[in-house]
Structures are given as structure tokens and as C-alpha cells.
Amino acid sequence: MVFAHGFGCDQNMWRFITPAFEDDYRITLFDYVGSGGSDLRAYDPDRYSSLEGYAEDVLDVCEELDLKNVVFVGHSVSSVVGMLAAIKQPERFSRLILVGPSPCYINEPPHYVGGFNRADIEELLGMMDKNYIGWANFLAPAVMANPGRPELAGELRESFCSTDPVIARRFAEATFLSDYRSIVEKVPVPSLIMQCSEDIIAPLEVGDYLKLHLPQSTLAVMKATGHCPHMSHPEETIQIIRNYLAESRA
């Protein structure tokens, strides 16, 4: 199993999930270049101007470790990264587990609900430029959406703030202004869509869109709220993944 973190995060965010699968799977964790403990000297603005560059990171990890029959678990933007990687090298992947996926965050009425108007995204990007700390303080609790556990929002905020602001800004643009709806029907690998019941980043309509257009997909709507169920609701997250993988083997 390869676990890929979302925007502004790092591999440590999976710590509540991975122990549940260590007995049955070889676990691989990594940080994208520019995130977490990665070597910032390896960062290439051109490569990471689009999500294809991050998909190359995933494939590089798989090649270096000679990984095959991979169950890829991607959070948020990494869901699309996983789709891109699977399209390019389908022979490496057996399943995609997509946690809070969205192929496009911008509304295109009346046909598509992504959750944001383009002006909303541009305002957030502008806030990153003007007041990065303020942006992190505003976004983290909204993304986590579990006010009863403020320590989770605090951890996400610290993760945002530990990322180089210039790199974070570029990653945000590559994430939130992208539209990868055109690739969804090309994904050749069976997938699980894990959709939180209340999520401002990936609303329920996005899960419905993916279930309709993503071949060989299964949609699981979670009781969990927020955009990071692997942190806020790890037990439910683990159980849904376990059930899906068990059914896949049956």
C-alpha cells in the first residue's frame, strides 16, 4: 500500500491508519518534493506546475522500490495524482483508494458542482500571497471541520505553516485551479471513492459525479465530517478500506 498525502500535509498524517494494514501489506510512505521532510533542493517549479509532476513522484517511488500490485491510497489532490499515475502505468496498480477526491474544485453551472466559484479560489490564493499565516489560520479549521477536536485543526495549521510559502502557493494553484474531469473515464484501475458527509472542499455532488464517470468505482459516503477523515475519524476510515479490500479479494 502506498499512502500519498494531500495539499499542505505530509506522510505523518497517515499515522492513525497505517498500523491497521501493516500485517497484510508492505506500507510505503513518502513526502512530495516541497512537502514535509523532502529535499527542497529537488524542487522544480516547472515540473510541479501541474499535478502530472506529482504523479511522476509517485511513479518514481514505485520504480525505485520496485512496487507492483499497489493499493494506492490518496488523500484529496493525491486522488487525482493517483489517477494520473494509474493511467500512465496501469500495470503497477491493483486498486485506488480515493479519500475526499475531486477532479475539479470550481463550479461550472448548471452541469457541475465543485464547491467553489473561481472568484473564491482566487481570493484564497490572494490571501496566501498577502498573509500566509492568516490564510493558514482561516483554512485549517474549515478544512478539518471538527470543532470539538481543535488539536486536529492546529496540527493541520502547523503543517500548512511549515511548508515553504512559495512552494505551497504553487501547489495550491496546481490543485485548485486544475480541471481533470477529462481523465476520469480513462482510469483503468478499480477504485473506492470515500466521500465525507460534510466537506467544504469536496461536497457530496463531487462524489456523485465521480461515481457516475469513474469506471469500476465504488462510492462510500462516510459519517465523518470534514476533509481529513483519516485524522478525524480513523476507525471509520480503516473499516471502509478493509471492507472494500476484502470484497475485492473475494
Side-chain angles (χ1 to χ4, degrees), residues 20-36:
F21 298 97
E22 288 175 346
D23 290 342
D24 298 316
Y25 294 89
R26 175 186 177 185
I27 303 297
T28 299
L29 295 161
F30 71 98
D31 294 331
Y32 290 116
V33 174
S35 301

Side-chain angles (χ1 to χ4, degrees), residues 104-109 112-125 176-177 200-201 203:
C104 180
Y105 296 92
I106 298 175
N107 300 327
E108 193 176 272
Y112 180 78
V113 176
F116 298 89
N117 295 320
R118 187 177 183 90
D120 300 329
I121 300 294
E122 291 175 348
E123 184 178 351
L124 281 173
L125 294 174
F176 294 110
L177 291 180
I200 67 164
I201 302 296

Side-chain angles (χ1 to χ4, degrees), residues 7 34 128-129 132-133 135 160-172:
F7 165 76
M128 292 182 77
D129 293 332
Y132 186 77
I133 301 300
W135 165 84
F160 286 160
C161 292
S162 67
T163 306
D164 179 281
V166 174
I167 292 175
R169 172 63 167 77
R170 290 178 182 143
F171 196 2

Side-chain angles (χ1 to χ4, degrees), residues 1-247:
M1 295 181 78
V2 174
F3 289 81
H5 64 79
F7 165 76
C9 300
D10 62 24
Q11 61 180 275
N12 189 53
M13 304 298 189
W14 294 110
R15 67 188 183 277
F16 303 124
I17 304 299
T18 53
F21 298 97
E22 288 175 346
D23 290 342
D24 298 316
Y25 294 89
R26 175 186 177 185
I27 303 297
T28 299
L29 295 161
F30 71 98
D31 294 331
Y32 290 116
V33 174
S35 301
S38 65
D39 184 355
L40 295 184
R41 294 172 297 179
Y43 185 80
D44 181 341
D46 291 332
R47 173 174 172 135
Y48 298 109
S49 63
S50 72
L51 299 187
E52 281 80 358
Y54 294 93
E56 287 298 326
D57 275 4
V58 170
L59 295 176
D60 286 349
V61 168
C62 291
E63 182 176 0
E64 180 67 25
L65 299 178
D66 193 26
L67 301 181
K68 300 171 184 176
N69 199 31
V70 170
V71 175
F72 177 88
V73 186
H75 172 229
S76 192
V77 64
S78 278
S79 296
V80 171
V81 171
M83 292 182 202
L84 289 166
I87 290 169
K88 190 163 186 179
Q89 293 188 19
E91 68 278 3
R92 285 206 183 269
F93 300 90
S94 64
R95 294 288 185 275
L96 301 180
I97 310 290
L98 312 177
V99 184
S102 178
C104 180
Y105 296 92
I106 298 175
N107 300 327
E108 193 176 272
H111 306 294
Y112 180 78
V113 176
F116 298 89
N117 295 320
R118 187 177 183 90
D120 300 329
I121 300 294
E122 291 175 348
E123 184 178 351
L124 281 173
L125 294 174
M127 187 185 299
M128 292 182 77
D129 293 332
K130 295 174 185 176
N131 182 1
Y132 186 77
I133 301 300
W135 165 84
N137 286 332
F138 164 76
L139 193 61
V143 168
M144 192 58 68
N146 277 269
R149 300 182 64 191
E151 72 279 4
L152 294 178
E155 180 177 346
L156 186 59
R157 181 177 61 250
E158 290 303 312
S159 182
F160 286 160
C161 292
S162 67
T163 306
D164 179 281
V166 174
I167 292 175
R169 172 63 167 77
R170 290 178 182 143
F171 196 2
E173 188 167 340
T175 298
F176 294 110
L177 291 180
S178 63
D179 184 351
Y180 283 94
R181 285 175 291 171
S182 63
I183 74 163
V184 171
E185 293 184 346
K186 301 175 184 177
V187 176
V189 178
S191 59
L192 170 65
I193 305 159
M194 297 183 66
Q195 171 73 56
C196 289
S197 57
E198 295 180 29
D199 182 355
I200 67 164
I201 302 296
L204 289 168
E205 290 89 345
V206 174
D208 292 338
Y209 174 90
L210 285 171
K211 180 63 182 75
L212 183 63
H213 294 278
L214 185 59
Q216 305 178 74
S217 64
T218 299
L219 173 63
V221 178
M222 306 177 69
K223 295 178 183 177
T225 57
H227 192 56
C228 304
H230 54 306
M231 298 177 67
S232 62
H233 298 76
E235 295 84 3
E236 184 184 12
T237 302
I238 290 167
Q239 194 58 53
I240 289 173
I241 295 175
R242 272 184 170 159
N243 291 346
Y244 174 74
L245 292 177
E247 290 168 4

